[in-house]
Amino acid sequence: MAGGNTSLTPQSGCLYVVATPIGNMSDLSERAKSILQNADLIACEDTRSTGSLLARLGFRKTLVSYHEHNEKEAAASIVEKLQTGESAALVSDAGTPGISDPGFRLVRECRRQGIPVSPIPGPSAAISLLSVSGLPTNAFLFVGFLPPKKAARQRFLEENRNFKYSIILYESCHRIEKLLGDILNTLGSNRQICVGRELTKKFETILTGPASQVVEKLNSSSKKGEFVVVVAPEGYEL
Ligand code: SAM
């Protein structure tokens, strides 16, 4: 597909996976704006949040709902539209679609059907924090959310105690204390970690150091908002 991955305007029959801001509207790229404005349809996780993103950009579009509960059927119907030559943009509520967000099934179906899929890259909370953590970036394991059950979370940490690369975890404000407690108990107070809260937003907080110190500092600040945690390999010293 000539020009499919460089053009500012969408090509017929192509799916664009478009990253959107994780908190700071200025992080939306020019190309993302243009693809969103000019695609025939936008598949989105939540029509209200994408509707308000588009309203801030000053335009409206046909929105197709694509979320974790209708992924299979919605993917089939979006693929049909792509096969008739329509162009489509896929967005999630924030960050990069498919990264702890819906997207994988639609992309896989497009690949199976020979439909071109092109990235419009941009923010992702995991890479954003890793890049500023001071913890090893040469290789890493992105896990997303650990299971909510304590035993399963601890089992994961125990099994990966000696993993030789950095590990990136997502967590909500409701469970961040529990996750950090499990890291302390399972990996020890000296394990180097980095916690990023509300990245790219007004109350952005980034703390790196031994787990015990990071937890202590975090305990004296607000635990509202969204969190990413990077865990360094055992023995790593900042
Ligand atoms: N697709 C997104 C991405 O590319 O980063 C991730 C979506 S996932 C449903 C949402 C989680 O990402 C949050 O619970 C939090 O762990 C993390 N996250 C998203 N935005 C964040 C931010 N601004 N600061 C810190 N963590 C964030």
Side-chain angles (χ1 to χ4, degrees):
M1 187 189 53
N5 55 4
T6 56
S7 174
L8 273 176
T9 49
Q11 306 287 303
S12 164
C14 182
L15 174 70
Y16 292 85
V17 177
V18 181
T20 58
I22 57 168
N24 190 322
M25 269 297 284
S26 306
D27 293 338
L28 189 75
S29 75
E30 277 307 311
R31 207 151 75 92
K33 273 180 224 166
S34 176
I35 295 291
L36 291 176
Q37 183 153 25
N38 295 301
D40 293 313
L41 68 95
I42 299 177
C44 60
E45 194 181 357
D46 183 289
T47 50
R48 276 202 310 193
S49 62
T50 300
S52 60
L53 171 78
L54 301 187
R56 290 176 77 173
L57 297 175
F59 55 86
R60 285 161 154 243
K61 297 293 292 188
T62 306
L63 297 180
V64 174
S65 186
Y66 175 83
H67 49 71
E68 62 173 327
H69 304 295
N70 76 349
E71 266 195 285
K72 203 170 165 197
E73 312 78 62
S77 111
I78 295 162
V79 162
E80 269 176 33
K81 290 188 165 62
L82 288 159
Q83 284 169 328
T84 67
E86 290 191 35
S87 58
L90 170 68
V91 296
S92 61
D93 284 354
T96 301
I99 307 302
S100 290
D101 264 342
F104 166 68
R105 275 178 189 274
L106 175 58
V107 171
R108 180 180 63 181
E109 198 48 32
C110 287
R111 290 280 167 218
R112 284 178 174 163
Q113 302 295 332
I115 292 167
V117 184
S118 188
I120 308 294
S124 187
I127 299 298
S128 301
L129 185 66
L130 181 67
S131 69
V132 298
S133 65
L135 306 185
T137 56
N138 56 322
F140 58 88
L141 174 67
F142 171 71
V143 179
F145 295 92
L146 286 185
K149 292 233 165 84
K150 188 179 178 72
R153 248 190 349 255
Q154 288 191 338
R155 195 175 327 120
F156 171 87
L157 292 169
E158 264 152 28
E159 283 170 3
N160 289 283
R161 173 194 297 280
N162 303 120
F163 188 68
K164 50 183 191 160
Y165 304 117
S166 297
I167 297 176
I168 311 177
L169 305 168
Y170 282 166
E171 198 45 276
S172 73
C173 58
H174 310 293
R175 270 198 288 268
I176 187 67
E177 264 182 276
K178 287 182 180 152
L179 172 66
L180 295 174
D182 289 338
I183 289 174
L184 268 176
N185 292 336
T186 316
L187 306 180
S189 54
N190 283 330
R191 180 65 69 108
Q192 300 280 317
I193 64 170
C194 177
V195 174
R197 170 182 165 253
E198 294 288 85
L199 299 173
T200 75
K201 304 186 202 177
K202 188 173 174 192
F203 295 107
E204 178 180 272
T205 312
I206 299 166
L207 300 166
T208 297
S212 54
Q213 285 178 23
V214 169
V215 168
E216 200 181 305
K217 281 195 195 136
L218 210 64
N219 281 341
S220 57
S221 64
S222 164
K223 279 186 272 319
K224 285 192 188 142
E226 302 190 276
F227 289 86
V228 189
V229 179
V230 182
V231 179
E234 192 179 27
Y236 175 79
E237 292 290 339
L238 188 64

